[in-house]
Amino acid sequence: MNREKEKQEISVLGRLLSLEVLIFLMGLVSLGYGFTVGTGINIFFGLFILGGSVVLHFVKKKDWTKHWEEQEAIKLRLDAVRKREKEEKKP
């Protein structure tokens, strides 16, 4: 429910001018410039930027809050085990 509230707070203009969209547009500009002028390096970087922006979209789509909560829980359990082992080794 909190996630839905965050999505509602983001305006349409904010979504259109987000970093992902700007990166994607830069990839399109680089790709277009490469085809217009005929430079292979701009075509390469345009494709590379476009691919990176798609990967970034899918990475950000993943629920990172849940992921970090799980990682924190694992760390706390590991710390507790290490502390117990350290106490057992003491005479």
Side-chain angles (χ1 to χ4, degrees):
M1 189 167 162
N2 190 20
R3 190 171 174 86
E4 291 175 14
K5 185 178 179 183
E6 290 176 7
K7 281 188 177 182
Q8 289 176 351
E9 291 177 0
I10 300 173
S11 67
V12 174
L13 183 62
R15 279 189 234 153
L16 289 176
L17 295 177
S18 69
L19 186 60
E20 296 86 17
V21 172
L22 293 176
I23 291 172
F24 187 79
L25 289 175
M26 183 60 209
L28 287 178
V29 167
S30 180
L31 190 63
Y33 182 76
F35 281 126
T36 304
V37 177
T39 57
I41 195 74
N42 284 21
I43 295 170
F44 169 75
F45 279 118
L47 291 173
F48 199 74
I49 292 169
L50 289 175
S53 68
V54 170
V55 169
L56 178 64
H57 170 73
F58 286 114
V59 167
K60 288 189 84 172
K61 193 174 182 180
K62 186 176 179 180
D63 190 5
W64 284 104
T65 306
K66 181 181 174 188
H67 170 74
W68 287 115
E69 287 173 356
E70 290 172 356
Q71 292 297 317
E72 190 66 30
I74 291 170
K75 182 180 182 270
L76 290 174
R77 280 185 268 150
L78 183 61
D79 289 342
V81 168
R82 286 183 180 161
K83 185 178 179 181
R84 231 181 299 130
E85 289 176 353
K86 189 177 180 181
E87 288 174 356
E88 289 175 0
K89 288 182 181 180
K90 286 184 180 180

